[in-house]
Amino acid sequence: MATDIPRSHVFSRADWLNTPAGMARLQESGWVVIEDVPAAKAEVELALARLGALQPQYSGMTFWDVIPKSPGKGTSIGDRELSFHTELAEFADPPRYVALYCLRPAVSGGALKLLDLRPVLEALSAAKISVLMQEPVTVYCEDEIARAHGNIAFTAPVLSRRDGQLAVRYDPPQIDASTPASLRDFADRILTLGEQHLASFVQQAESLAIWDNWRIVHGRTAFEGTERHLWRCCVKPPTAPS
């Protein structure tokens, strides 16, 4: 079972597949955890089919192994802490939903951190939103990813409107002292929010964490050992009829 998670966000596999409660919670709060999902890719895909079709990731893979390939590096393939970010922000079409399925947790640490940015977005003035929808930022994939799967990068504003809502594309390594003040202010707001509204928990085996990647940024605490192994899947919802 997953630990340190508000029970209102946790659903059994059966409830997720057969009742509307899990979907309602995902739409309301932006994230859920599904327990007791068998350790098979077909079972994970079945659970995610409620949201849409699996979206290809690097080199067209639909299941990405999240393992500590380079221990010590502050990247997704290391074991150090990861700061809040939008998953696959370097893609032209960042996935709407991201899911992590836990095959094996770390010996210690490795908590998933989720932060809903809706309070930040709701507090922004129309003028600030307009600026953030126009100021472009180039996001690059990690060096290790580029060497293995080709360099991937995309230039776009931090905010855009997608399916009638504000969608976030946030990657903190691209924001520094030379970045426009509007973007640095946005990053500061995220850090402040994180101190107040962070959801952080360690997934256990056979749990599936799902979040709305357009409104929630995520990170990870550092961990120990080489056992930690998750599958990352991305989901693209069906296109709404026009």
Side-chain angles (χ1 to χ4, degrees):
M1 294 177 60
T3 59
D4 305 322
I5 311 175
R7 298 309 297 177
S8 60
H9 287 76
V10 179
F11 298 86
S12 69
R13 173 182 178 275
D15 283 345
W16 170 255
L17 291 175
N18 300 307
T19 74
M23 287 289 289
R25 171 59 66 181
L26 178 61
Q27 297 303 319
E28 177 187 354
S29 64
W31 66 275
V32 293
V33 173
I34 315 303
E35 294 182 333
D36 305 318
V37 179
K41 290 182 178 179
E43 293 287 348
V44 174
E45 188 166 2
L46 175 64
L48 296 177
R50 290 211 68 188
L51 300 172
L54 294 189
Q55 185 172 339
Q57 303 174 58
Y58 302 115
S59 296
M61 290 181 287
T62 53
F63 282 77
W64 173 260
D65 287 301
V66 181
I67 55 178
K69 300 175 184 176
S70 300
K73 290 182 176 291
T75 72
S76 62
I77 63 176
D79 57 13
R80 291 184 181 174
E81 181 175 4
L82 289 182
S83 56
F84 291 122
H85 63 283
T86 299
E87 194 73 338
L88 300 184
E90 70 271 30
F91 279 40
D93 184 24
R96 173 67 185 271
Y97 296 107
V98 174
L100 287 179
Y101 179 81
C102 183
L103 293 155
R104 290 189 303 275
V107 172
S108 65
L112 176 63
K113 301 189 298 182
L114 300 174
L115 183 63
D116 186 1
L117 294 189
R118 185 162 289 183
V120 169
L121 300 177
E122 291 176 346
L124 291 175
S125 67
K128 288 185 176 180
I129 289 175
S130 178
V131 171
L132 290 171
M133 291 181 67
Q134 297 177 51
E135 194 70 58
V137 177
T138 301
V139 181
Y140 304 90
C141 67
E142 298 169 5
D143 292 340
E144 293 85 349
I145 300 296
R147 285 193 288 269
H149 303 280
N151 192 30
I152 303 170
F154 195 75
T155 300
V158 170
L159 296 184
S160 62
R161 290 204 178 274
R162 306 184 69 181
D163 292 347
Q165 70 177 58
L166 280 176
V168 178
R169 182 194 297 263
Y170 179 70
D171 189 58
Q174 316 310 326
I175 299 176
D176 55 27
S178 64
T179 301
S182 59
L183 298 182
R184 286 185 276 117
D185 174 70
F186 187 68
D188 289 342
R189 288 170 181 263
I190 290 175
L191 292 177
T192 300
L193 182 71
E195 295 175 355
Q196 304 171 9
H197 301 287
L198 174 65
S200 179
F201 54 89
V202 176
Q203 283 183 261
Q204 298 301 307
E206 298 191 346
S207 70
L208 180 66
I210 306 170
W211 65 90
D212 184 337
N213 192 48
W214 291 0
R215 67 181 267 196
I216 286 186
V217 288
H218 73 287
R220 180 193 70 207
T221 65
F223 61 92
E224 296 181 2
T226 59
E227 294 82 0
R228 187 175 185 266
H229 185 185
L230 299 93
W231 286 329
R232 181 184 68 198
C233 295
C234 301
V235 185
K236 185 172 186 176
T239 303
S242 56

